[in-house]
Amino acid sequence: MDKYIYDESNGLWYELQGEYYLPCLTLPPEEEMIIGIWGQRHLRYLKEYHRITYTNLLTSGRLNAYLAEVDEQAKDMFLRLAKEYADRQGVTEQLKVDKPLEWVQKMNNIRNAVEEVINEELVYASG
């Protein structure tokens, strides 16, 4: 038996694996993009809870672009909400100079609150 055969009816090559011929399939080329922490978290979420969506994005060659977009949206949302929350709570540069420990406490609370919002709205959203 030949190791590879070509099927003219569908234009696919097949490789002998044990007793069966399996199609030689490759994923379409995908542009490499840097995926940050938010995109990585969303990727883990998709793999664990939304396997079909993950598989569809992967096989269509759109996974990296999708994750990069989620990551970019999350970064923008983080910066916008952190500034908004800091303004609302009166966390200023003057507070940073006068009471640095209080400023750190408030900024940590703001960061945690913003992370919760982003996780709820973007990262772990059902899509």
Side-chain angles (χ1 to χ4, degrees):
M1 293 174 79
D2 293 336
K3 176 77 173 157
Y4 293 96
I5 59 171
Y6 182 73
D7 184 356
E8 292 182 17
S9 66
N10 62 15
L12 292 177
W13 281 93
Y14 291 84
E15 180 179 8
L16 184 62
Q17 299 281 330
E19 297 179 7
Y20 301 98
Y21 280 103
L22 299 177
C24 298
L25 301 175
T26 58
L27 294 175
E30 189 173 3
E31 180 182 340
E32 287 295 320
M33 299 177 159
I34 296 173
I35 309 297
I37 187 71
W38 304 108
Q40 294 294 329
R41 288 178 183 173
H42 190 62
L43 174 62
R44 274 195 312 270
Y45 174 72
L46 288 177
K47 282 181 175 180
E48 190 167 339
Y49 297 105
H50 294 280
R51 296 283 304 159
I52 293 173
T53 302
Y54 167 74
T55 303
N56 288 340
L57 288 168
L58 180 66
T59 56
S60 69
R62 297 181 322 206
L63 181 62
N64 278 346
Y66 171 76
L67 293 173
E69 179 65 27
V70 168
D71 191 65
E72 188 63 33
Q73 287 177 6
K75 281 192 245 182
D76 292 345
M77 184 183 235
F78 183 88
L79 294 174
R80 182 175 45 81
L81 288 177
K83 180 169 177 18
E84 190 177 303
Y85 285 21
D87 290 345
R88 267 196 247 151
Q89 295 180 22
V91 180
T92 62
E93 289 297 315
Q94 189 60 44
L95 179 65
K96 185 177 181 180
V97 171
D98 295 341
K99 300 177 183 176
L101 289 178
E102 183 180 337
W103 181 86
V104 168
Q105 287 176 328
K106 288 186 176 196
M107 287 306 294
N108 283 339
N109 288 339
I110 288 170
R111 186 192 71 230
N112 291 336
V114 169
E115 283 182 3
E116 285 182 28
V117 170
I118 292 172
N119 285 335
E120 179 74 24
E121 298 291 323
L122 289 176
V123 175
Y124 304 122
S126 301

